[in-house]
Amino acid sequence: MTTDSNHILVVEDDEHIGQVLKFMLERQGYRVSLFNEGLAARDGMEAAGEIPRLILLDVMLPYIDGFELVKIIRARTGWEAVPIVMLTAKTMEQDIVRALDAGANDYVVKPFQPNELLARIRRFLRAKP
């Protein structure tokens, strides 16, 4: 399985936020796969022929939450090092620690600032070709 250097996987159950993220990222030249719930995201990852360069992941998702998805992603062969940025309204320290301990690389609280989010994404994409 190969890594697509231009592909970002977004898992966000809020349709408006998902579309905003897709629009923002596509304007930056990225190809975006958008899933609106955890089960579809897991199934999409299993069916994927390529590994995304980065994953934006909400915490509060239907069926399979973001914490569980991080564990699933980290257990997949070839996906262990894919940067995961959690994007969520959960602001409690215990949630942030739980996400980072599960394997997330960063944690951005909603409402997010678009330029700050893009800068964080660029930082991870620069780190590894």
Side-chain angles (χ1 to χ4, degrees):
M1 195 174 290
T2 61
T3 300
D4 181 345
S5 64
N6 203 33
H7 183 215
I8 295 180
L9 177 68
V10 177
V11 187
E12 171 58 63
D13 66 330
D14 181 300
E15 185 179 343
H16 175 70
I17 294 172
Q19 290 303 317
V20 166
L21 290 167
K22 187 172 181 350
F23 176 77
M24 273 176 33
L25 294 167
E26 286 177 345
R27 285 199 53 193
Q28 298 297 310
Y30 299 109
R31 191 171 57 79
V32 177
S33 294
L34 176 61
F35 294 97
N36 64 0
E37 46 97 349
L39 190 57
R42 185 199 64 194
D43 293 347
M45 286 185 281
E46 288 175 1
E50 63 191 18
I51 301 169
R53 242 339 255 296
L54 182 130
I55 300 169
L56 281 178
L57 182 59
D58 191 5
V59 169
M60 295 180 289
L61 295 166
Y63 310 116
I64 300 175
D65 71 19
F67 297 122
E68 188 61 30
L69 275 176
V70 170
K71 293 176 190 170
I72 290 168
I73 292 163
R74 291 298 180 231
R76 287 186 56 81
T77 302
W79 293 60
E80 304 92 338
V82 175
I84 300 172
V85 177
M86 304 298 283
L87 189 62
T88 182
K90 293 179 86 60
T91 60
M92 298 290 292
E93 180 186 21
Q94 65 197 32
D95 295 318
I96 297 168
V97 169
R98 183 176 170 200
L100 295 172
D101 282 347
N105 299 86
D106 202 355
Y107 195 98
V108 177
V109 176
K110 295 176 192 170
F112 59 89
Q113 297 299 315
N115 289 326
E116 177 187 349
L117 179 61
L118 289 171
R120 289 173 184 266
I121 289 168
R122 284 192 303 270
R123 177 173 57 108
F124 284 112
L125 297 183
R126 271 195 311 265
K128 218 174 175 185

